[in-house]
Coordinates of all heavy atoms in Angstrom, one line a residue:
M30 N 85.1 118.2 153.6 CA 85.6 117.9 152.3 C 84.8 116.8 151.6 O 84.5 115.8 152.3 CB 87.1 117.5 152.3 CG 87.9 118.7 152.7 SD 89.7 118.6 152.3 CE 90.2 117.1 152.7
S31 N 84.5 116.9 150.4 CA 83.8 115.8 149.7 C 84.7 114.9 148.9 O 85.8 115.4 148.6 CB 82.8 116.4 148.7 OG 83.5 117.1 147.6
E32 N 84.3 113.7 148.7 CA 85.2 112.8 148.0 C 84.9 112.9 146.5 O 83.8 112.7 146.0 CB 84.8 111.3 148.4 CG 85.1 111.1 149.8 CD 84.8 109.6 150.2 OE1 84.9 108.7 149.3 OE2 84.3 109.4 151.3
L33 N 85.9 113.3 145.7 CA 85.8 113.5 144.3 C 85.5 112.2 143.6 O 86.1 111.2 143.8 CB 87.0 114.1 143.7 CG 87.3 115.6 143.9 CD1 88.6 116.0 143.3 CD2 86.1 116.4 143.4
G34 N 84.5 112.1 142.8 CA 84.1 111.0 142.0 C 83.4 109.9 142.7 O 83.0 108.9 142.2
H35 N 83.1 110.1 144.0 CA 82.4 109.1 144.8 C 80.9 109.5 145.1 O 80.3 108.8 145.9 CB 83.2 108.8 146.1 CG 84.5 108.2 145.8 ND1 84.6 106.9 145.2 CD2 85.7 108.7 145.9 CE1 85.9 106.7 145.1 NE2 86.6 107.7 145.5
N36 N 80.5 110.6 144.6 CA 79.2 111.1 145.0 C 78.2 110.7 143.9 O 78.2 111.2 142.8 CB 79.2 112.6 145.1 CG 77.9 113.2 145.5 OD1 76.8 112.5 145.5 ND2 77.9 114.5 145.9
S37 N 77.4 109.6 144.1 CA 76.5 109.1 143.1 C 75.4 110.1 142.8 O 74.7 109.9 141.7 CB 75.9 107.8 143.6 OG 75.2 108.0 144.7
N38 N 75.1 111.1 143.6 CA 74.1 112.1 143.3 C 74.6 113.1 142.3 O 73.8 113.8 141.7 CB 73.7 112.8 144.6 CG 73.0 111.9 145.6 OD1 72.4 110.9 145.1 ND2 73.2 112.2 146.8
N39 N 75.9 113.2 142.0 CA 76.5 114.1 141.1 C 77.2 113.4 140.0 O 78.3 112.9 140.2 CB 77.5 115.1 141.9 CG 78.0 116.2 141.0 OD1 77.6 116.3 139.8 ND2 78.9 117.0 141.5
P40 N 76.5 113.2 138.8 CA 77.1 112.4 137.8 C 78.3 113.1 137.1 O 79.1 112.5 136.4 CB 76.0 112.3 136.8 CG 75.1 113.4 137.0 CD 75.2 113.7 138.5
A41 N 78.5 114.4 137.3 CA 79.7 115.1 136.7 C 80.5 115.7 137.9 O 80.1 116.4 138.7 CB 79.2 116.2 135.8
V42 N 81.8 115.3 137.9 CA 82.7 115.7 138.9 C 83.9 116.4 138.2 O 84.5 115.9 137.3 CB 83.3 114.6 139.7 CG1 84.3 115.1 140.8 CG2 82.1 113.8 140.4
G43 N 84.1 117.7 138.5 CA 85.2 118.4 137.9 C 85.0 118.5 136.4 O 85.9 118.6 135.6
G44 N 83.7 118.6 135.9 CA 83.4 118.7 134.5 C 83.5 117.4 133.8 O 83.3 117.3 132.6
I45 N 83.7 116.3 134.5 CA 83.8 114.9 133.9 C 82.5 114.1 134.2 O 82.1 114.0 135.3 CB 85.0 114.2 134.4 CG1 86.3 114.9 134.1 CG2 85.1 112.8 133.9 CD1 87.5 114.3 134.7
A46 N 81.9 113.6 133.2 CA 80.7 112.8 133.3 C 81.2 111.4 133.8 O 81.8 110.6 133.0 CB 80.0 112.6 132.0
A47 N 81.1 111.1 135.1 CA 81.6 109.9 135.7 C 81.1 108.6 135.0 O 81.8 107.7 134.8 CB 81.3 109.9 137.2
D48 N 79.8 108.6 134.7 CA 79.2 107.4 134.1 C 79.8 107.1 132.7 O 80.1 106.0 132.4 CB 77.7 107.5 134.0 CG 77.0 107.5 135.3 OD1 77.6 107.0 136.3 OD2 75.8 107.9 135.4
R49 N 80.0 108.2 132.0 CA 80.6 108.0 130.6 C 82.0 107.6 130.7 O 82.5 106.7 130.0 CB 80.5 109.4 129.9 CG 81.1 109.4 128.5 CD 80.2 108.7 127.5 NE 80.7 108.9 126.2 CZ 80.8 107.9 125.3 NH1 80.3 106.7 125.6 NH2 81.3 108.2 124.1
L50 N 82.8 108.1 131.7 CA 84.2 107.7 131.9 C 84.2 106.3 132.3 O 85.0 105.5 131.8 CB 84.8 108.6 133.0 CG 86.2 108.3 133.4 CD1 87.2 108.4 132.2 CD2 86.7 109.2 134.5
R51 N 83.4 105.9 133.2 CA 83.4 104.5 133.7 C 83.0 103.5 132.5 O 83.6 102.5 132.4 CB 82.4 104.3 134.8 CG 82.4 103.0 135.5 CD 81.5 102.9 136.7 NE 81.9 103.9 137.8 CZ 81.2 105.0 138.1 NH1 80.1 105.3 137.5 NH2 81.7 105.8 139.0
A52 N 82.1 103.9 131.7 CA 81.7 103.1 130.6 C 82.8 102.9 129.6 O 83.1 101.8 129.1 CB 80.5 103.7 129.8
I53 N 83.6 104.0 129.3 CA 84.7 103.9 128.4 C 85.8 103.0 129.0 O 86.3 102.1 128.3 CB 85.3 105.3 128.1 CG1 84.3 106.1 127.2 CG2 86.6 105.3 127.5 CD1 84.6 107.6 127.1
I54 N 86.1 103.2 130.2 CA 87.1 102.3 130.9 C 86.7 100.9 130.9 O 87.5 100.0 130.6 CB 87.4 102.9 132.3 CG1 88.1 104.2 132.2 CG2 88.2 101.8 133.1 CD1 88.3 104.9 133.5
D55 N 85.4 100.6 131.2 CA 84.9 99.2 131.2 C 85.1 98.6 129.8 O 85.5 97.4 129.6 CB 83.5 99.2 131.6 CG 83.3 99.4 133.1 OD1 84.3 99.4 133.9 OD2 82.1 99.7 133.5
R56 N 84.7 99.4 128.7 CA 84.8 98.8 127.4 C 86.3 98.5 127.0 O 86.6 97.5 126.4 CB 84.3 99.9 126.4 CG 82.7 99.9 126.4 CD 82.1 101.1 125.6 NE 82.7 101.2 124.3 CZ 82.7 102.3 123.6 NH1 82.3 103.5 124.2 NH2 83.2 102.4 122.4
V57 N 87.2 99.4 127.4 CA 88.6 99.2 127.1 C 89.1 97.9 127.8 O 89.8 97.1 127.2 CB 89.5 100.4 127.4 CG1 91.0 100.1 127.3 CG2 89.2 101.6 126.5
E58 N 88.8 97.8 129.1 CA 89.2 96.7 129.9 C 88.6 95.4 129.3 O 89.3 94.4 129.2 CB 88.8 96.8 131.3 CG 89.5 97.9 132.1 CD 89.0 98.1 133.5 OE1 87.9 97.8 133.8 OE2 89.8 98.7 134.3
R59 N 87.4 95.4 128.8 CA 86.8 94.2 128.2 C 87.5 93.8 126.9 O 87.8 92.7 126.7 CB 85.3 94.5 127.9 CG 84.4 93.3 128.0 CD 82.9 93.6 128.0 NE 82.5 94.9 127.4 CZ 82.1 95.9 128.1 NH1 82.1 95.9 129.5 NH2 81.7 97.1 127.6
L60 N 87.8 94.8 126.1 CA 88.5 94.6 124.9 C 90.0 94.0 125.1 O 90.5 93.2 124.4 CB 88.6 95.8 124.0 CG 87.2 96.2 123.4 CD1 87.3 97.6 122.7 CD2 86.8 95.1 122.4
E61 N 90.6 94.6 126.2 CA 91.9 94.1 126.5 C 91.9 92.6 126.9 O 92.8 91.8 126.5 CB 92.6 94.9 127.6 CG 93.0 96.3 127.1 CD 93.6 97.2 128.2 OE1 93.4 96.8 129.4 OE2 94.2 98.1 127.9
E62 N 90.8 92.2 127.6 CA 90.7 90.8 128.0 C 90.4 89.9 126.7 O 91.0 88.8 126.6 CB 89.5 90.6 129.0 CG 89.8 91.1 130.4 CD 91.0 90.2 131.0 OE1 91.0 89.0 130.9 OE2 91.9 90.9 131.6
E63 N 89.6 90.5 125.8 CA 89.4 89.7 124.6 C 90.7 89.6 123.8 O 90.9 88.5 123.2 CB 88.3 90.4 123.7 CG 86.9 90.3 124.3 CD 85.9 91.1 123.5 OE1 86.1 91.2 122.2 OE2 84.9 91.5 124.0
R64 N 91.5 90.7 123.7 CA 92.7 90.6 123.0 C 93.7 89.6 123.6 O 94.3 88.8 122.9 CB 93.4 92.0 123.0 CG 94.7 92.0 122.3 CD 95.3 93.4 122.1 NE 95.4 94.1 123.3 CZ 95.7 95.4 123.3 NH1 95.9 96.1 122.2 NH2 95.7 96.1 124.5
K65 N 93.7 89.5 124.9 CA 94.5 88.5 125.6 C 94.1 87.1 125.3 O 94.9 86.3 125.0 CB 94.4 88.8 127.1 CG 95.3 87.9 128.0 CD 95.1 88.2 129.4 CE 96.0 87.3 130.3 NZ 95.8 87.6 131.7
A66 N 92.8 86.9 125.2 CA 92.2 85.6 124.9 C 92.6 85.2 123.4 O 93.0 84.1 123.1 CB 90.7 85.5 125.1
L67 N 92.4 86.2 122.5 CA 92.7 86.0 121.1 C 94.2 85.7 120.9 O 94.6 84.8 120.1 CB 92.3 87.2 120.3 CG 90.8 87.4 120.1 CD1 90.5 88.7 119.4 CD2 90.2 86.2 119.3
S68 N 95.1 86.4 121.7 CA 96.5 86.1 121.6 C 96.8 84.7 122.0 O 97.7 84.1 121.3 CB 97.3 87.1 122.4 OG 97.2 88.4 121.9
G69 N 96.2 84.2 123.0 CA 96.4 82.9 123.4 C 95.9 81.9 122.3 O 96.6 80.9 122.1
D70 N 94.8 82.2 121.7 CA 94.3 81.3 120.6 C 95.2 81.3 119.4 O 95.5 80.2 118.9 CB 92.9 81.8 120.1 CG 91.8 81.7 121.2 OD1 92.0 80.9 122.2 OD2 90.7 82.3 121.0
I71 N 95.8 82.4 119.1 CA 96.8 82.5 118.0 C 98.0 81.7 118.3 O 98.5 81.0 117.5 CB 97.1 84.0 117.6 CG1 95.9 84.7 117.0 CG2 98.3 84.1 116.7 CD1 96.0 86.2 116.9
K72 N 98.5 81.8 119.6 CA 99.6 81.1 120.0 C 99.4 79.6 119.9 O 100.2 78.8 119.4 CB 100.0 81.4 121.4 CG 101.2 80.7 122.0 CD 101.5 81.1 123.4 CE 102.7 80.4 123.9 NZ 103.0 80.7 125.3
D73 N 98.2 79.1 120.3 CA 97.8 77.7 120.2 C 97.8 77.3 118.7 O 98.2 76.1 118.4 CB 96.4 77.5 120.8 CG 96.4 77.7 122.3 OD1 97.4 77.7 122.9 OD2 95.2 77.8 122.8
I74 N 97.3 78.1 117.8 CA 97.3 77.7 116.4 C 98.7 77.6 115.9 O 99.0 76.6 115.1 CB 96.5 78.8 115.6 CG1 95.0 78.7 115.9 CG2 96.7 78.5 114.1 CD1 94.2 79.9 115.4
F75 N 99.6 78.5 116.2 CA 101.0 78.3 115.8 C 101.7 77.1 116.4 O 102.5 76.4 115.7 CB 101.8 79.6 116.1 CG 101.6 80.7 115.1 CD1 101.1 82.0 115.6 CD2 101.8 80.6 113.8 CE1 100.9 83.0 114.7 CE2 101.6 81.6 112.9 CZ 101.2 82.8 113.3
T76 N 101.3 76.8 117.6 CA 101.8 75.5 118.2 C 101.3 74.3 117.4 O 102.1 73.4 117.1 CB 101.4 75.4 119.7 OG1 101.9 76.5 120.4 CG2 101.9 74.1 120.3
E77 N 100.1 74.3 117.0 CA 99.5 73.3 116.2 C 100.2 73.2 114.9 O 100.5 72.1 114.4 CB 98.0 73.5 116.0 CG 97.3 72.6 115.1 CD 95.8 73.0 114.9 OE1 95.2 73.7 115.7 OE2 95.3 72.6 113.8
A78 N 100.4 74.3 114.3 CA 101.1 74.3 113.0 C 102.5 73.8 113.1 O 102.9 73.0 112.2 CB 101.1 75.8 112.4
K79 N 103.2 74.1 114.1 CA 104.6 73.7 114.3 C 104.6 72.1 114.5 O 105.4 71.4 114.0 CB 105.2 74.3 115.6 CG 106.6 74.0 115.8 CD 107.3 74.7 116.9 CE 108.7 74.4 117.1 NZ 109.4 75.2 118.1
S80 N 103.6 71.6 115.3 CA 103.5 70.2 115.5 C 103.1 69.4 114.2 O 103.4 68.2 114.1 CB 102.6 69.8 116.6 OG 101.2 70.1 116.3
A81 N 102.5 70.1 113.3 CA 102.2 69.6 112.0 C 103.3 69.7 111.0 O 103.2 69.3 109.8 CB 100.9 70.2 111.4
G82 N 104.5 70.3 111.4 CA 105.6 70.3 110.6 C 105.8 71.6 109.8 O 106.7 71.7 109.0
F83 N 105.0 72.6 110.1 CA 105.1 73.9 109.4 C 106.1 74.8 110.1 O 106.3 74.7 111.4 CB 103.8 74.6 109.3 CG 102.8 74.0 108.5 CD1 101.7 73.2 109.0 CD2 102.9 74.0 107.1 CE1 100.8 72.6 108.2 CE2 102.0 73.4 106.3 CZ 100.9 72.7 106.8
D84 N 106.8 75.6 109.4 CA 107.8 76.6 110.0 C 107.0 77.8 110.4 O 106.5 78.6 109.5 CB 108.9 76.9 108.9 CG 110.0 77.8 109.5 OD1 109.7 78.7 110.2 OD2 111.1 77.5 109.1
V85 N 106.9 78.1 111.7 CA 106.1 79.2 112.2 C 106.7 80.5 111.7 O 105.9 81.4 111.4 CB 106.0 79.1 113.7 CG1 105.3 80.3 114.3 CG2 105.3 77.8 114.1
K86 N 108.0 80.6 111.7 CA 108.6 81.9 111.2 C 108.1 82.3 109.8 O 107.8 83.4 109.5 CB 110.1 81.8 111.3 CG 110.8 83.2 111.0 CD 112.3 83.1 110.9 CE 112.9 82.7 112.2 NZ 114.4 82.8 112.2
V87 N 108.1 81.3 108.9 CA 107.6 81.5 107.6 C 106.1 81.8 107.5 O 105.7 82.7 106.8 CB 108.0 80.3 106.7 CG1 107.4 80.4 105.3 CG2 109.5 80.1 106.6
L88 N 105.4 81.1 108.3 CA 103.9 81.4 108.4 C 103.7 82.8 108.8 O 102.8 83.5 108.2 CB 103.2 80.4 109.4 CG 103.2 79.0 109.0 CD1 102.5 78.2 110.1 CD2 102.4 78.8 107.7
R89 N 104.4 83.3 109.8 CA 104.3 84.7 110.2 C 104.6 85.7 109.1 O 104.0 86.7 108.9 CB 105.1 85.0 111.4 CG 104.6 84.3 112.7 CD 105.5 84.7 113.9 NE 105.1 84.0 115.1 CZ 104.1 84.3 115.9 NH1 103.4 85.3 115.7 NH2 103.9 83.5 117.0
Q90 N 105.7 85.3 108.3 CA 106.1 86.2 107.1 C 104.9 86.2 106.1 O 104.6 87.3 105.6 CB 107.4 85.6 106.5 CG 108.6 85.9 107.3 CD 109.8 85.3 106.6 OE1 109.8 84.2 106.0 NE2 111.0 86.0 106.8
I91 N 104.4 85.0 105.8 CA 103.3 85.0 104.8 C 102.1 85.8 105.3 O 101.5 86.6 104.5 CB 102.9 83.5 104.6 CG1 104.0 82.8 103.8 CG2 101.5 83.5 103.8 CD1 103.8 81.3 103.6
I92 N 101.8 85.7 106.6 CA 100.6 86.5 107.1 C 100.9 88.0 107.0 O 100.1 88.8 106.6 CB 100.4 86.1 108.6 CG1 99.8 84.7 108.6 CG2 99.4 87.1 109.3 CD1 99.8 84.1 110.0
R93 N 102.2 88.4 107.3 CA 102.5 89.8 107.1 C 102.4 90.3 105.7 O 101.9 91.3 105.4 CB 104.0 90.0 107.7 CG 104.3 91.5 107.8 CD 105.8 91.7 108.3 NE 106.7 91.4 107.2 CZ 107.6 90.3 107.3 NH1 107.7 89.6 108.4 NH2 108.4 90.1 106.3
I94 N 102.9 89.4 104.8 CA 102.8 89.8 103.3 C 101.4 89.9 102.9 O 101.1 90.8 102.1 CB 103.6 88.7 102.5 CG1 105.1 88.8 102.8 CG2 103.3 88.8 101.0 CD1 105.9 87.7 102.2
R95 N 100.5 89.0 103.3 CA 99.1 89.0 102.9 C 98.4 90.3 103.3 O 97.4 90.7 102.7 CB 98.4 87.8 103.4 CG 98.8 86.5 102.6 CD 98.2 85.3 103.2 NE 96.8 85.3 103.4 CZ 95.9 84.5 102.9 NH1 96.3 83.6 102.1 NH2 94.6 84.6 103.1
K96 N 98.9 91.0 104.3 CA 98.3 92.2 104.8 C 98.7 93.4 103.9 O 98.0 94.4 104.0 CB 98.8 92.5 106.2 CG 98.2 91.6 107.3 CD 98.7 91.9 108.6 CE 98.3 90.9 109.7 NZ 98.8 91.2 111.0
Q97 N 99.7 93.2 103.1 CA 100.2 94.3 102.3 C 99.5 94.4 100.9 O 98.9 93.4 100.5 CB 101.7 94.2 102.0 CG 102.6 94.2 103.3 CD 104.0 93.9 103.0 OE1 104.4 93.3 102.0 NE2 104.9 94.3 103.9
E98 N 99.6 95.5 100.3 CA 99.1 95.7 98.9 C 100.0 94.9 98.0 O 101.2 94.9 98.2 CB 99.1 97.2 98.6 CG 98.1 98.0 99.4 CD 96.7 97.6 99.1 OE1 96.3 97.3 97.9 OE2 95.9 97.6 100.1
P99 N 99.4 94.3 96.9 CA 100.2 93.5 96.0 C 101.4 94.3 95.4 O 102.5 93.8 95.2 CB 99.2 93.2 94.9 CG 97.9 93.1 95.6 CD 98.0 94.2 96.7
A100 N 101.1 95.6 95.1 CA 102.2 96.4 94.5 C 103.4 96.6 95.4 O 104.5 96.6 95.0 CB 101.7 97.8 94.0
E101 N 103.0 96.7 96.7 CA 104.1 96.9 97.7 C 104.9 95.6 97.9 O 106.1 95.6 98.0 CB 103.4 97.2 99.1 CG 104.4 97.5 100.2 CD 103.7 97.9 101.5 OE1 102.4 98.1 101.5 OE2 104.4 98.0 102.5
V102 N 104.2 94.5 97.8 CA 104.9 93.2 97.9 C 105.8 93.0 96.7 O 107.0 92.6 96.9 CB 103.9 92.0 98.0 CG1 104.6 90.7 97.9 CG2 103.0 92.1 99.2
E103 N 105.3 93.3 95.5 CA 106.1 93.2 94.3 C 107.4 94.1 94.4 O 108.5 93.7 94.0 CB 105.3 93.5 93.1 CG 106.1 93.3 91.8 CD 105.2 93.6 90.5 OE1 104.0 93.9 90.7 OE2 105.8 93.6 89.4
E104 N 107.2 95.3 94.9 CA 108.3 96.2 95.0 C 109.4 95.7 96.0 O 110.6 95.7 95.7 CB 107.9 97.6 95.5 CG 109.0 98.6 95.6 CD 108.5 99.9 96.1 OE1 107.3 100.2 96.1 OE2 109.3 100.7 96.6
Q105 N 108.9 95.1 97.1 CA 109.9 94.6 98.0 C 110.6 93.3 97.5 O 111.8 93.2 97.7 CB 109.1 94.2 99.3 CG 108.7 95.4 100.1 CD 107.9 95.0 101.4 OE1 107.7 93.8 101.6 NE2 107.5 96.0 102.1
E106 N 109.9 92.5 96.8 CA 110.5 91.3 96.2 C 111.5 91.7 95.1 O 112.6 91.1 95.0 CB 109.4 90.4 95.6 CG 108.6 89.7 96.6 CD 107.5 88.9 96.1 OE1 107.2 89.0 94.8 OE2 106.8 88.1 96.8
N107 N 111.2 92.7 94.3 CA 112.2 93.2 93.3 C 113.4 93.8 94.0 O 114.6 93.5 93.5 CB 111.5 94.3 92.4 CG 110.5 93.7 91.5 OD1 110.6 92.6 91.1 ND2 109.6 94.6 91.0
L108 N 113.3 94.6 95.0 CA 114.4 95.1 95.8 C 115.2 94.0 96.4 O 116.5 94.0 96.4 CB 114.0 96.1 96.8 CG 113.6 97.5 96.4 CD1 113.0 98.3 97.5 CD2 114.8 98.2 95.7
L109 N 114.6 93.0 97.0 CA 115.3 91.9 97.5 C 116.1 91.1 96.5 O 117.3 90.8 96.7 CB 114.3 90.9 98.2 CG 114.8 89.7 98.9 CD1 115.8 90.1 100.0 CD2 113.7 88.8 99.4
D110 N 115.5 91.0 95.3 CA 116.3 90.3 94.2 C 117.5 91.2 93.8 O 118.6 90.6 93.6 CB 115.3 90.1 93.0 CG 116.0 89.3 91.9 OD1 116.6 88.3 92.2 OD2 115.9 89.8 90.7
I111 N 117.3 92.5 93.7 CA 118.4 93.4 93.3 C 119.5 93.3 94.3 O 120.7 93.2 94.0 CB 117.9 94.8 93.1 CG1 117.0 94.9 91.9 CG2 119.0 95.8 93.0 CD1 116.2 96.2 91.7
Y112 N 119.1 93.4 95.6 CA 120.1 93.3 96.7 C 120.9 92.0 96.7 O 122.1 92.0 96.9 CB 119.5 93.6 98.1 CG 118.9 95.0 98.3 CD1 119.0 96.0 97.3 CD2 118.3 95.3 99.5 CE1 118.6 97.2 97.6 CE2 117.8 96.6 99.7 CZ 117.9 97.5 98.7 OH 117.5 98.8 99.0
R113 N 120.1 90.9 96.5 CA 120.8 89.6 96.4 C 121.8 89.5 95.3 O 122.9 89.0 95.5 CB 119.7 88.5 96.3 CG 119.0 88.1 97.5 CD 118.0 87.0 97.3 NE 117.4 86.6 98.5 CZ 116.2 86.0 98.6 NH1 115.6 85.7 97.5 NH2 115.7 85.7 99.7
R114 N 121.4 90.0 94.1 CA 122.3 90.0 93.0 C 123.5 90.8 93.2 O 124.7 90.5 92.9 CB 121.6 90.4 91.7 CG 120.7 89.2 91.2 CD 120.1 89.5 89.8 NE 119.0 90.4 90.0 CZ 118.7 91.5 89.3 NH1 119.5 91.8 88.3 NH2 117.6 92.2 89.5
A115 N 123.3 92.0 93.9 CA 124.4 92.9 94.2 C 125.4 92.2 95.2 O 126.6 92.5 95.1 CB 123.9 94.2 94.8
L116 N 124.9 91.4 96.0 CA 125.8 90.7 97.0 C 126.3 89.3 96.4 O 127.0 88.6 97.2 CB 125.0 90.5 98.3 CG 124.7 91.7 99.0 CD1 123.8 91.4 100.2 CD2 125.9 92.5 99.5
G117 N 125.9 89.0 95.2 CA 126.4 87.7 94.6 C 125.7 86.5 95.2 O 126.2 85.4 95.2
M118 N 124.5 86.7 95.6 CA 123.7 85.6 96.2 C 122.9 84.9 95.2 O 122.3 85.5 94.4 CB 122.9 86.1 97.4 CG 123.7 86.7 98.5 SD 122.7 87.4 99.8 CE 121.9 86.0 100.5

């Protein structure tokens, strides 16, 4: 019996190009490590902001809003205003 995927003389095993598969997996793993590092950096920035007196929850809301289209933000703000008035706030 041969070992599937362990024969370096046969780059394709079961119709799968082993080198291409390995390259894809390596790239994903590298990007996951980068994402982990970036998440740590973002956490550090929020810690810095908090120590400077900023409200991190509000900063996160602003960042989320800035990702949206202006018309979408305006529509949400209008609905929020309508809902507040309906509740007597």
Side-chain angles (χ1 to χ4, degrees):
M30 291 202 313
S31 69
E32 297 179 33
L33 284 178
H35 297 290
N36 185 348
S37 60
N38 296 331
N39 185 1
V42 178
I45 297 173
D48 290 341
R49 180 74 172 136
L50 176 60
R51 190 174 296 108
I53 289 170
I54 290 172
D55 288 346
R56 286 171 47 208
V57 170
E58 289 174 339
R59 213 172 17 258
L60 288 171
E61 285 177 346
E62 284 298 316
E63 288 178 29
R64 177 171 52 191
K65 184 178 176 183
L67 289 172
S68 293
D70 292 345
I71 291 169
K72 182 180 178 183
D73 292 345
I74 293 170
F75 281 124
T76 300
E77 176 186 335
K79 185 175 183 177
S80 69
F83 294 104
D84 186 318
V85 172
K86 187 187 291 186
V87 174
L88 292 177
R89 290 183 187 278
Q90 287 177 324
I91 289 173
I92 291 167
R93 189 181 73 244
I94 290 169
R95 287 172 52 120
K96 290 178 185 178
Q97 297 174 340
E98 294 293 323
E101 185 179 350
V102 173
E103 184 178 356
E104 180 182 345
Q105 288 177 0
E106 288 175 350
N107 288 336
L108 282 173
L109 182 60
D110 184 52
I111 291 168
Y112 291 0
R113 282 181 175 159
R114 283 188 279 135
L116 296 172
M118 298 174 69

